[in-house]
């Protein structure tokens, strides 16, 4: 082979290598995505809603009269009984007023006593006596008002409960117009948990509950759980009691109240947490909402075909309260390989490398 032929062969080989290299560079790598094999299941799904707790009675303690705090008989967090003395305001000025008022009552009574026999003997007219009696009644009213003021200076608890924060100290001047109350007394033998549902969630919950009337449906709702702020579940279940009569016009949400027994006084007013509402499902296919997408007027799910390629399937679903899952009514069947990762990115016909996930893990991600 001459020198010219060697050069031609070399250039041809170089060209073939370059083409092969370009093909390798242009070939896209196969991505890995999570896939779950569907099956029919009977399960309980929990929808969670942020909540704030209050005692069944939560009363602000405010003074009815003005004055300086002379004594504080309780401490924050203390359990008190109805009628127990909480605060005493200074009454020195009121006591002096009471003495003066009592003296005016006595003087008015003396005047009435003096005029009675004179009227009986027709020495003076009855008008003078009636005027004296009116003055006596006015003096008594003034005196009783001062006594009531003194009594109001001793502030008692209107209910059994727990003392809240006490922002004032001895010597603080307080009045009925003071911005902060003296404290709050909360009856926490049972607790109210307040939370909100949007209009769709409210309808889903009501329509999926047995009962011929709204109140009958509330009565049939399953017990609810309370997840405390530290992540633990409260040891007593609660009951949904009320829905607000109309949706909030600004937020479109309904206020809901559930009650929880609290005999051990673990829960306190102001605590926060999550109310869990269970939805019991029987013999259905459940999929995560995030495993579907909307295209025009259809909802689509992505499944894997026998060649590990993506296939889009139209599905009919209904939402489970809580906004995380759908119950599939049409479109998917048991043993379908549902793609639960990359939805919205993957296109039909794309080959992927499936990463199998257990069905139970998507229904109970916290396990």
């Amino acid at each position: 082979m001459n020198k010219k032929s060697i050069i031609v062969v070399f250039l041809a080989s170089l060209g073939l290598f370059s083409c092969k290299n370009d093909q390798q560079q242009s070939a896209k790598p196969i991505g890995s995505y999570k896939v779950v094999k569907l099956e029919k299941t009977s399960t309980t799904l929990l929808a969670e809603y942020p909540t704030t707790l209050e005692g069944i009675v939560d009363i602000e303690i405010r003074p009815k009269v003005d004055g300086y705090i002379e004594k504080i008989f309780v401490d924050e967090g203390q359990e008190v009984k109805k009628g127990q003395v909480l605060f005493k305001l200074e009454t020195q000025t009121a006591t002096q007023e009471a003495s003066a008022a009592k003296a005016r009552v006595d003087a008015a009574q003396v005047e009435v006593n003096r005029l009675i026999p004179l009227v009986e003997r027709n020495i003076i007219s009855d008008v003078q006596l009636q005027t004296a009696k009116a003055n006596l009644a006015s003096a008594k009213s003034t005196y009783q008002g001062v006594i009531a003021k003194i009594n109001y200076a001793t502030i008692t608890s209107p209910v059994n409960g727990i003392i809240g924060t006490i922002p004032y100290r001895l010597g603080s001047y307080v009045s009925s117009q003071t911005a902060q109350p003296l404290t709050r007394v909360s009856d926490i033998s049972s607790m109210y948990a307040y939370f909100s549902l949007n209009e769709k969630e409210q309808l889903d919950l009501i329509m999926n509950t047995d009962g011929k009337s709204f109140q009958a449906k509330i009565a049939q709702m399953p017990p609810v759980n309370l997840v405390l702020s530290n992540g633990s579940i409260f040891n007593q279940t609660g009951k949904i009691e009320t829905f607000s009569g109309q949706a909030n016009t600004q937020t479109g949400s309904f206020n809901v109240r559930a009650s929880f027994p609290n005999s051990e006084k673990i829960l306190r007013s102001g605590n926060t947490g999550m109310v869990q509402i269970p939805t019991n499902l029987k013999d259905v296919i459940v999929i995560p909402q995030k495993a579907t997408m909307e295209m025009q007027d259809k909802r689509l799910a992505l499944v894997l075909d026998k060649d590990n390629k993506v296939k889009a399937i139209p599905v009919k679903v209904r939402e489970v309260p809580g906004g995380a899952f759908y119950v599939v009514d049409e479109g998917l069947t048991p043993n379908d390989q549902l793609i639960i990762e990359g939805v919205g990115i993957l296109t039909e016909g794309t080959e992927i490398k499936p990463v199998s996930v257990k069905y139970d893990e998507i229904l109970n991600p916290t396990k």
Side-chain angles (χ1 to χ4, degrees):
M1 184 180 292
N2 59 31
K3 185 176 181 180
K4 186 176 180 180
S5 298
I6 293 174
I7 292 174
V8 171
V9 172
F10 174 75
L11 291 174
S13 300
L14 183 63
L16 289 172
F17 175 78
S18 177
C19 290
K20 185 177 181 181
N21 191 47
D22 289 342
Q23 290 175 355
Q24 289 177 343
Q25 288 180 351
S26 62
K28 294 182 180 179
I30 298 176
S32 298
Y33 295 92
K34 292 181 180 178
V35 174
V36 64
K37 184 178 180 181
L38 297 179
E39 56 188 76
K40 287 196 172 183
T41 184
S42 296
T43 186
T44 298
L45 299 178
L46 298 173
E48 294 189 337
Y49 303 92
T51 184
T52 301
L53 302 179
E54 291 183 11
I56 54 173
V57 176
D58 198 17
I59 300 175
E60 290 185 347
I61 305 299
R62 293 184 177 274
K64 292 184 177 180
V65 295
D66 304 351
Y68 294 94
I69 298 178
E70 188 175 83
K71 289 183 180 180
I72 300 175
F73 295 93
V74 291
D75 201 357
E76 296 175 351
Q78 181 178 334
E79 190 168 352
V80 296
K81 299 294 185 182
K82 181 178 180 179
Q84 183 173 337
V85 178
L86 309 179
F87 301 91
K88 188 176 187 304
L89 305 185
E90 176 269 325
T91 58
Q92 182 177 353
T93 302
T95 301
Q96 293 173 351
E97 292 176 359
S99 297
K102 183 63 169 64
R104 288 192 288 272
V105 170
D106 293 342
Q109 185 66 61
V110 168
E111 180 64 8
V112 169
N113 293 341
R114 184 183 72 83
L115 294 178
I116 289 176
L118 296 180
V119 171
E120 290 174 347
R121 288 181 288 179
N122 295 321
I123 297 175
I124 61 174
S125 70
D126 186 59
V127 174
Q128 288 180 276
L129 177 60
Q130 296 304 319
T131 300
K133 287 183 177 180
N135 290 337
L136 175 60
S138 177
K140 285 182 177 180
S141 177
T142 301
Y143 175 67
Q144 290 169 355
V146 176
I147 294 300
K149 184 178 179 181
I150 293 174
N151 292 336
Y152 287 146
T154 300
I155 300 168
T156 60
S157 175
V159 294
N160 298 338
I162 302 293
I163 296 294
T165 301
I166 302 176
Y168 302 103
R169 295 295 177 258
L170 294 177
S172 298
Y173 183 81
V174 295
S175 71
S176 59
Q177 303 302 315
T178 303
Q180 288 183 290
L182 296 176
T183 190
R184 300 175 76 96
V185 177
S186 302
D187 181 352
I188 61 173
S189 58
S190 184
M191 300 296 292
Y192 287 147
Y194 293 93
F195 57 100
S196 297
L197 300 178
N198 64 38
E199 184 177 358
K200 190 175 186 305
E201 292 170 331
Q202 188 257 6
L203 285 173
D204 287 339
L205 181 59
I206 292 296
M207 294 175 68
N208 289 325
T209 303
D210 295 333
K212 295 184 178 180
S213 67
F214 194 88
Q215 290 302 320
K217 287 176 176 290
I218 292 178
Q220 291 296 319
M221 286 185 181
V224 297
N225 299 324
L226 176 63
V227 181
L228 304 178
S229 57
N230 65 355
S232 62
I233 297 179
F234 186 54
N235 60 10
Q236 299 284 336
T237 58
K239 187 76 176 69
I240 292 177
E241 294 184 339
T242 64
F243 286 76
S244 56
Q246 62 184 33
N248 185 305
T249 54
Q250 294 181 337
T251 64
S253 62
F254 287 84
N255 293 325
V256 187
R257 188 187 76 203
S259 66
F260 290 85
N262 189 36
S263 58
E264 297 177 1
K265 305 294 194 300
I266 293 175
L267 305 178
R268 298 296 173 102
S269 290
N271 282 161
T272 59
M274 302 287 287
V275 170
Q276 291 181 332
I277 302 178
T279 299
N280 297 316
L281 302 172
K282 294 183 179 180
D283 199 27
V284 292
I285 294 176
V286 180
I287 63 173
Q289 289 191 14
K290 65 181 182 180
T292 68
M293 59 182 179
E294 281 190 89
M295 183 171 292
Q296 296 178 347
D297 60 342
K298 295 181 179 179
R299 181 162 295 279
L300 302 176
L302 302 183
V303 298
L304 203 61
D305 67 12
K306 58 185 179 61
D307 297 320
N308 287 343
K309 292 183 178 180
V310 176
K311 183 179 180 181
I313 302 291
V315 293
K316 288 187 178 181
V317 296
R318 47 195 162 95
E319 190 170 341
V320 177
F325 294 94
Y326 286 133
V327 172
V328 179
D329 292 322
E330 292 181 21
L332 297 176
T333 60
N335 297 321
D336 280 343
Q337 300 282 339
L338 178 70
I339 301 170
I340 60 173
E341 188 177 41
V343 178
I345 300 174
L346 293 171
T347 57
E348 189 163 21
T350 302
E351 184 178 356
I352 69 169
K353 181 179 179 181
V355 178
S356 295
V357 177
K358 291 182 178 179
Y359 190 53
D360 185 59
E361 291 179 4
I362 68 166
L363 298 182
N364 303 282
T366 58
K367 283 189 178 181

